[in-house]
Amino acid sequence: MDSNLKSASYVDRKTFKRSVMVAHDPSSTALVTKKRDLHYYAVEVNANIDYRSQFKVKETVDGEEVDYTPNALTESQYTDKFMKFNLHLMHNIATMQMYHTRGSMLRSKTRSSMRGGVGGNKQSMDELISGILHEAIIFDPAGVHKDEEQPAHIPVPFTKSFVKVTIRKSEFIELHSQINSTVAKGTEQGNAVEADNRLYDYLTVGKGKVRRRSDNDAQTEVVLTNSRAVNTIYVSHATVGSYVSNFEMYDTLQGVVSKQTQMTQNMISQTGPPGGAEPRTTIALEEEVHERNKARSVTQQLFKHPVFKKAILFIGRTLSSNFYTSGMQRFRNFQQPNRSSTEVQYKYSMKGLFRLLPSQVNDDRKAVSDISFCYANSDIVAVGYGLFSFSSQHVPSTGDVFVWSIKNPGEPERAYYYKTPVTALCFSPYLPSLIAIGMYDGCVEVRDVADDTNMPIAVSQRSTSPGCSPVVAIRWLKQVGDDDVGEIDPFLSLSQDGSVTRFHLGKSPYLLGFTQMTLERIEGHPEGIHVPISPTMTVAANRHPQGLSITTHPVDNDIYYILTDEGCIHKCSINYQHQYLEVLKCHDGAVNIMEFSPWSPRLFLTCGNDWYVRIWVDGITRPLIELLDDFQPIHWAKWSPINSTIIVSVNRNTCSIWDLRRNILKPMGKHDMDASYNTIAQFSNSGTVLVVGNERGNVLFEALNDMPFAPHFQYDEMEKAIYRAIGNDQELFIELKSIGFFGYPNKKAVRT
């Protein structure tokens, strides 16, 4: 034996009990390593199987313990053959390497003798191994595990010069795949499995299987089909070039005109039969005129048909949505600001959405006199056009009431035309389709905006309402008693001469009205702010003060307030016709608006011509807070419907936004509206859009952007802001403390 050869050590004597004489080279070491890895893998698999066999899955079903432990997979009959084949193949490869190494180390032999050995046919080692792999190998279970040494296997020489091997990618086919759902008991996953099993048993064999069931029909998808009669031939369109000269166009046009002229002349030239009878030309012309009048009447009937009107209305809404999409979405608050956003800034800004432009008749410019939103549908707003300032030098001769919808800002949904200017209007909060309209001549009428006939429901008459002064304000009243159940709620009408008329709607086409209150001028010093009396003796031209506005109490249905040009508020009751309950001096001049807070039935604000917005509480004759910015009369002011500490005021030129929590010395936002003077304003039902009218008849929709988020506890924040504002006045602070809680029950909000 060669000195370069030595005996290899035994590898895993329990499995392989014979030694192999191999050359001490890297290939022999790799062989030993491969065998050792194979053995370790088998040992690890057996250990895992033994560990898994310790788990038992048992459940109690109907009082008996049932073993649910999965059975081990049966070993295939080819498993042992596969293992033995791999071992036998490795043994043959090692033997061939040994022969190849021995032939290369024998230097004393001649070159011819080396060719006569294993490598006599000039075969490479790869060819030799390929011959081993392609020969038939017979499994011999007894031959691998015998202790005696087996004779060396001598392969048949491989005589081919090359081997062609074609490798193709086969399709992956998955016969079965199952996720293991067996877990150890007592662990978190095991508890979840047990809970799921208990729920399954409860729903299948327990009380849970008795569940409520109901049968229902399912509607199948409707397939719309066309009959053969409606199918038409496909019309193909193409753009082609053509040449037409000016002469051809002229001849064509002249031919059409001449043809019509010739037909007319033929009709005139024809004469009737002899005997003095009427010529046929007159009969033909009369028939033609009759046909034209008939066509005109059909067209007029079509325009008056309600179905045609509704179709035009829908088309107008569709076309308007192409121009006012962003404004409509903002009005509906489609995109709400995120409270958790870090980019929110409180700028108190305003953004114009769109404006309503009425059609002017005979260039008679009419101002926006009043604005009222429908209580049931926030998209509908009624605008009165007529006279706003009674000191105006130009008084329009006519008046209009347009009912607009946000779905079509381009054209009004309803239009009512009057021969006198419109001065006041108001939607009913109890029957949302009814609207009361007041005129410059003192007439009042009620209409139903849902009616397409444009006929009023009832109108006032001189016999029951002899007043002829302009109507300046209208407010609806809630029925107070059970005697008038089923009747329409009445409303109050305030005239400029200081008289209040109460109107009832009955089955008659006329309104039933009677005088509710007639105001008298105030003498002396009433409660409220102190205004010094002029030492000069003055004589009023009228012993009745001028009425400017009327407001109803948010809780007491029988209480209403009248605002006058004396700067006083008269608290009245519908139960007393000849006297008022209280008088409060609020402004040094006319008081224009009085509005209650949505979060308190006792807290209200007033604005007047003395440039102030004052906040009052019922029971204290001193104003809690006074807001002053511009030295101009304030036409309108109101609490924000969504934020208890924000107030918006409007004068002739600007719109101011006040926040009582932040600053009471100057407004947080101040914006110029339009070139024309502002007249009246109103909040939308959502409280996020301000609608402002001006003297040119335009109505501006302004969105309130970059506003602070509404507090969660609205009343608490409002009360805290008021106490902070009057903290320096100890006497007023004590009076307000003595009143106590002045909000609604449960601190809720009520729309006024």
Side-chain angles (χ1 to χ4, degrees):
M1 182 179 294
D2 195 348
S3 59
N4 293 331
L5 300 177
K6 62 179 181 179
S7 177
S9 59
Y10 289 100
V11 180
D12 196 357
R13 292 182 175 84
K14 295 182 180 180
T15 306
F16 307 100
K17 294 185 178 181
R18 66 183 180 86
S19 61
V20 182
M21 300 298 294
V22 297
H24 186 69
D25 57 347
S27 61
S28 62
T29 306
L31 178 61
V32 175
T33 304
K34 292 179 181 178
K35 292 182 179 180
R36 185 182 298 110
D37 294 342
L38 182 62
H39 169 68
Y40 288 162
Y41 175 74
V43 173
E44 184 179 357
V45 171
N46 294 331
N48 290 336
I49 294 176
D50 295 339
Y51 174 73
R52 295 294 296 274
S53 63
Q54 298 176 7
F55 294 103
K56 298 293 182 180
V57 181
K58 296 182 179 181
E59 288 291 339
T60 302
V61 180
D62 297 334
E64 296 182 1
E65 190 177 62
V66 181
D67 188 2
Y68 286 103
T69 305
N71 297 327
L73 297 176
T74 58
E75 295 184 358
S76 176
Q77 58 181 347
Y78 300 104
T79 302
D80 295 338
K81 293 183 179 181
F82 180 74
M83 297 294 294
K84 295 171 184 178
F85 169 73
N86 289 339
L87 296 176
H88 186 64
L89 180 61
M90 291 179 182
H91 172 70
N92 293 334
I93 293 174
T95 304
M96 294 299 102
Q97 290 177 349
M98 179 184 67
Y99 290 157
H100 180 71
T101 306
R102 180 181 300 176
S104 61
M105 290 182 179
L106 295 178
R107 303 297 182 180
S108 59
K109 293 186 177 181
T110 62
R111 188 177 187 88
S112 60
S113 62
M114 291 175 64
R115 292 180 179 177
V118 177
N121 293 330
K122 296 183 180 181
Q123 294 178 345
S124 63
M125 191 62 189
D126 296 336
E127 296 175 352
L128 184 61
I129 294 175
S130 300
I132 297 174
L133 294 178
H134 284 83
E135 69 176 351
I137 302 175
I138 302 175
F139 289 100
D140 187 8
V144 179
H145 297 284
K146 288 182 179 181
D147 295 338
E148 61 274 8
E149 185 176 357
Q150 297 294 333
H153 176 73
I154 302 175
V156 178
F158 185 73
T159 58
K160 294 183 179 181
S161 60
F162 66 93
V163 176
K164 182 179 181 181
V165 179
T166 303
I167 302 177
R168 295 185 178 89
K169 183 178 179 181
S170 61
E171 183 180 0
F172 178 76
I173 300 175
E174 183 179 357
L175 299 179
H176 178 70
S177 177
Q178 182 177 2
I179 301 175
N180 188 7
S181 60
T182 303
V183 295
K185 187 174 183 180
T187 61
E188 182 178 357
Q189 297 179 352
N191 297 334
V193 172
E194 290 181 350
D196 185 64
N197 293 338
R198 287 193 297 270
L199 178 61
Y200 180 79
D201 294 338
Y202 172 77
L203 296 175
T204 54
V205 298
K207 296 181 179 181
K209 69 178 182 179
V210 184
R211 297 187 296 274
R212 180 181 177 183
R213 298 177 175 85
S214 61
D215 297 334
N216 196 0
D217 298 334
Q219 183 180 2
T220 58
E221 183 180 0
V222 179
V223 180
L224 301 178
T225 58
N226 294 336
S227 61
R228 183 176 298 178
V230 301
N231 292 333
T232 58
I233 301 175
Y234 178 74
V235 179
S236 59
H237 300 272
T239 302
V240 296
S242 61
Y243 174 77
V244 179
S245 64
N246 296 332
F247 300 99
E248 292 175 345
M249 292 189 291
Y250 179 80
D251 294 341
T252 303
L253 182 60
Q254 291 297 325
V256 174
V257 175
S258 60
K259 184 177 181 181
Q260 295 179 354
T261 306
Q262 184 178 3
M263 292 177 61
T264 305
Q265 293 178 356
N266 292 336
M267 293 175 60
I268 297 175
S269 61
Q270 293 178 359
T271 58
E278 185 179 4
R280 287 190 301 171
T281 55
T282 306
I283 299 176
L285 291 175
E286 289 181 355
E287 291 180 354
E288 183 180 359
V289 172
H290 177 70
E291 291 295 334
R292 291 181 179 179
N293 293 335
K294 184 177 179 180
R296 187 180 295 106
S297 62
V298 171
T299 305
Q300 293 177 355
Q301 292 179 1
L302 178 63
F303 288 158
K304 295 180 180 180
H305 200 279
V307 178
F308 182 77
K309 291 182 178 179
K310 188 173 294 185
I312 294 178
L313 185 65
F314 291 157
I315 293 175
R317 291 179 179 179
T318 304
L319 297 177
S320 296
S321 62
N322 298 330
F323 299 95
Y324 307 104
T325 301
S326 59
M328 294 177 181
Q329 293 177 354
R330 178 61 183 88
F331 183 86
R332 289 289 191 88
N333 299 323
F334 280 4
Q335 296 179 356
Q336 293 286 351
N338 188 8
R339 285 179 173 266
S340 60
S341 177
T342 59
E343 299 179 356
V344 175
Q345 297 180 0
Y346 298 152
K347 298 181 180 179
Y348 299 86
S349 62
M350 300 180 68
K351 179 183 179 181
L353 302 182
F354 42 79
R355 66 173 62 202
L356 307 180
L357 301 176
S359 57
Q360 302 291 344
V361 180
N362 299 327
D363 295 334
D364 193 5
R365 192 179 70 179
K366 288 165 281 193
V368 177
S369 58
D370 206 350
I371 300 174
S372 179
F373 273 90
C374 180
Y375 286 81
N377 191 344
S378 60
D379 291 346
I380 297 177
V381 56
V383 181
Y385 300 92
L387 184 64
F388 176 76
S389 177
F390 297 101
S391 61
S392 176
Q393 298 180 358
H394 173 72
V395 178
S397 59
T398 59
D400 308 320
V401 173
F402 290 167
V403 181
W404 301 83
S405 176
I406 307 304
K407 299 177 182 178
N408 185 9
E411 293 291 336
E413 303 281 328
R414 299 284 187 271
Y416 310 121
Y417 302 98
Y418 302 96
K419 297 181 179 180
T420 57
V422 177
T423 55
L425 55 84
C426 182
F427 268 108
S428 172
Y430 315 110
L431 293 176
S433 62
L434 297 184
I435 182 172
I437 304 172
M439 311 295 175
Y440 183 72
D441 59 354
C443 296
V444 179
E445 71 176 28
V446 178
R447 288 181 177 270
D448 187 0
V449 297
D451 188 8
D452 297 337
T453 59
N454 289 341
M455 295 297 296
I457 296 178
V459 297
S460 62
Q461 53 183 347
R462 294 298 180 184
S463 60
T464 58
S465 56
C468 58
S469 296
V471 178
V472 295
I474 295 175
R475 290 294 181 273
W476 291 80
L477 296 176
K478 182 65 179 174
Q479 292 283 2
V480 181
D482 298 335
D483 298 337
D484 299 332
V485 176
E487 296 185 1
I488 301 177
D489 299 276
F491 62 91
L492 297 177
S493 171
L494 175 63
S495 300
Q496 188 181 9
D497 59 359
S499 62
V500 180
T501 307
R502 183 179 180 183
F503 290 97
H504 289 267
L505 280 78
K507 298 181 180 179
S508 172
Y510 297 101
L511 292 171
L512 179 60
F514 62 91
T515 302
Q516 179 68 39
M517 173 67 68
T518 301
L519 300 179
E520 300 290 341
R521 288 198 176 272
I522 301 299
E523 297 181 359
H525 293 279
E527 293 181 337
I529 64 174
H530 178 71
V531 178
I533 300 177
S534 175
T536 306
M537 187 65 180
T538 58
V539 178
N542 193 342
R543 62 189 182 93
H544 300 290
Q546 179 181 350
L548 299 179
S549 181
I550 187 172
T551 302
T552 57
H553 198 275
V555 176
D556 299 330
N557 296 327
D558 60 334
I559 301 298
Y560 63 95
Y561 301 86
I562 303 175
L563 284 61
T564 64
D565 62 342
E566 295 179 319
C568 296
I569 295 178
H570 299 257
K571 183 178 181 181
C572 307
S573 173
I574 60 175
N575 301 322
Y576 300 95
Q577 301 182 7
H578 302 288
Q579 60 182 358
Y580 30 80
L581 304 180
E582 296 178 6
V583 176
L584 183 64
K585 184 70 172 181
C586 297
H587 293 271
D588 185 9
V591 52
N592 298 320
I593 294 294
M594 175 186 178
E595 288 290 343
F596 282 90
S597 172
W599 285 269
S600 174
R602 304 183 63 179
L603 188 69
F604 61 92
L605 64 82
T606 60
C607 66
N609 292 345
D610 59 351
W611 319 326
Y612 278 97
V613 175
R614 292 186 171 96
I615 299 176
W616 308 76
V617 65
D618 193 8
I620 300 178
T621 58
R622 296 173 54 192
L624 302 180
I625 302 175
E626 293 183 341
L627 307 177
L628 173 63
D629 182 34
D630 288 336
F631 302 106
Q632 294 184 17
I634 299 178
H635 295 172
W636 180 88
K638 194 172 183 179
W639 301 85
S640 172
I642 59 176
N643 199 317
S644 60
T645 61
I646 290 181
I647 297 174
V648 179
S649 62
V650 176
N651 55 26
R652 297 181 65 182
N653 299 322
T654 61
C655 175
S656 302
I657 303 175
W658 300 84
D659 194 346
L660 303 181
R661 287 191 299 174
R662 298 179 178 272
N663 197 342
I664 62 173
L665 300 179
K666 65 177 183 179
M668 301 302 299
K670 189 174 181 180
H671 308 278
D672 295 332
M673 303 310 302
D674 204 2
S676 180
Y677 290 147
N678 303 323
T679 57
I680 196 70
Q682 196 64 252
F683 270 114
S684 64
N685 293 351
S686 61
T688 58
V689 177
L690 183 67
V691 182
V692 183
N694 56 29
E695 291 187 351
R696 291 185 179 273
N698 299 338
V699 179
L700 311 178
F701 282 72
E702 302 288 336
L704 301 178
N705 295 334
D706 302 324
M707 301 293 290
F709 294 106
H712 184 70
F713 300 102
Q714 297 268 20
Y715 172 81
D716 296 336
E717 290 294 332
M718 179 184 64
E719 185 182 38
K720 188 186 303 182
I722 293 175
Y723 276 111
R724 188 187 303 114
I726 65 174
N728 296 330
D729 193 340
Q730 292 297 327
E731 183 179 354
L732 186 60
F733 187 87
I734 294 173
E735 290 184 14
L736 185 59
K737 275 290 186 181
S738 63
I739 292 179
F741 178 76
F742 52 87
Y744 287 100
N746 299 326
K747 301 180 181 180
K748 64 179 181 179
V750 176
R751 181 183 177 185
T752 57

